[in-house]
Amino acid sequence: LRRITDSYRRMRNTVRFLLGNLHEFDPMQHAVPIAGLVALDRWAIARTRALQEAIVAAYRSYAFHLIYQKVHNFCVVDLGGFYLDILKDRLYTTPQSSHARRSAQTAMWHIAESVVRWLAPIVAFTAEEMWGHLSPAAAPAPAAAGQGRAESVFLSTWHELPQTGDDGVDWEALMALRADVARELERLRAAG
């Protein structure tokens, strides 16, 4: 139970970070076009898109344990251990309407819109609460045009993530280098 509780907290805290940094972000007014996003933000959207394909396939085969594992790993490793950790500096030091901040918020909005739908069948109350905090006026209309945002995450469909293209960046090598540098910094810190 402790392990499950810890996993749930990690996913919930990731969602809280996303929502907290989307405060006053209206994607209809502030979103950066995909081609104009910072490369790291395009990577985050591409990673989310690839994961969503795997999650949709897992839902279709009723492999709920795989969904939980994939979402948890995404929150802990891809987001918490890499993307959001790097993003903090940009979010906290750039002006509210700067391109760098809006680029990050655009990616975080796409991620939040996806994650809320992934989590809905597994942690229903958390997903519904998250849905209520995502900007209702800014979301695209559901299938029945003109009706605005669905009242509940359970009345929505999968979020359509944009294609980002290939930036030519070897993200795996960059992540490995970052891990090596972090290990060395920690060793030096421990040595005083």
Side-chain angles (χ1 to χ4, degrees), residues 4-131:
I4 297 295
T5 300
D6 183 53
S7 296
Y8 169 74
R9 274 195 198 112
R10 286 176 185 244
M11 290 186 284
R12 187 193 70 203
N13 288 340
T14 300
V15 166
R16 287 177 63 192
F17 182 87
L18 293 171
L19 291 174
N21 283 287
L22 288 172
H23 179 70
E24 296 183 359
F25 174 78
D26 180 350
M28 297 305 201
Q29 294 178 17
H30 305 128
V32 174
I34 296 304
L37 292 175
V38 172
L40 180 63
D41 300 327
R42 283 194 301 274
W43 170 85
I45 291 173
R47 177 67 185 105
T48 304
R49 184 182 174 90
L51 182 59
Q52 181 161 287
E53 291 172 8
I55 286 172
V56 169
Y59 268 119
R60 287 189 176 134
S61 63
Y62 301 100
F64 297 113
H65 67 288
L66 290 178
I67 298 161
Y68 160 78
Q69 290 170 357
K70 288 177 183 297
V71 173
H72 180 260
N73 189 60
F74 179 67
C75 288
V76 173
V77 177
D78 295 331
L79 294 181
F82 182 67
Y83 180 64
L84 299 178
D85 190 44
I86 294 171
L87 211 60
K88 289 175 187 172
D89 290 337
R90 192 175 359 146
L91 290 170
Y92 300 155
T93 61
T94 58
Q96 184 175 356
S97 61
S98 69
H99 179 269
R101 183 176 172 80
R102 292 300 190 209
S103 176
Q105 287 177 312
T106 300
M108 289 189 309
W109 178 76
H110 281 294
I111 294 166
E113 284 286 340
S114 300
V115 170
V116 68
R117 289 162 168 88
W118 302 343
L119 292 176
I122 298 170
V123 286
F125 294 111
T126 301
E128 196 66 21
E129 185 177 2
M130 181 183 178
W131 185 258

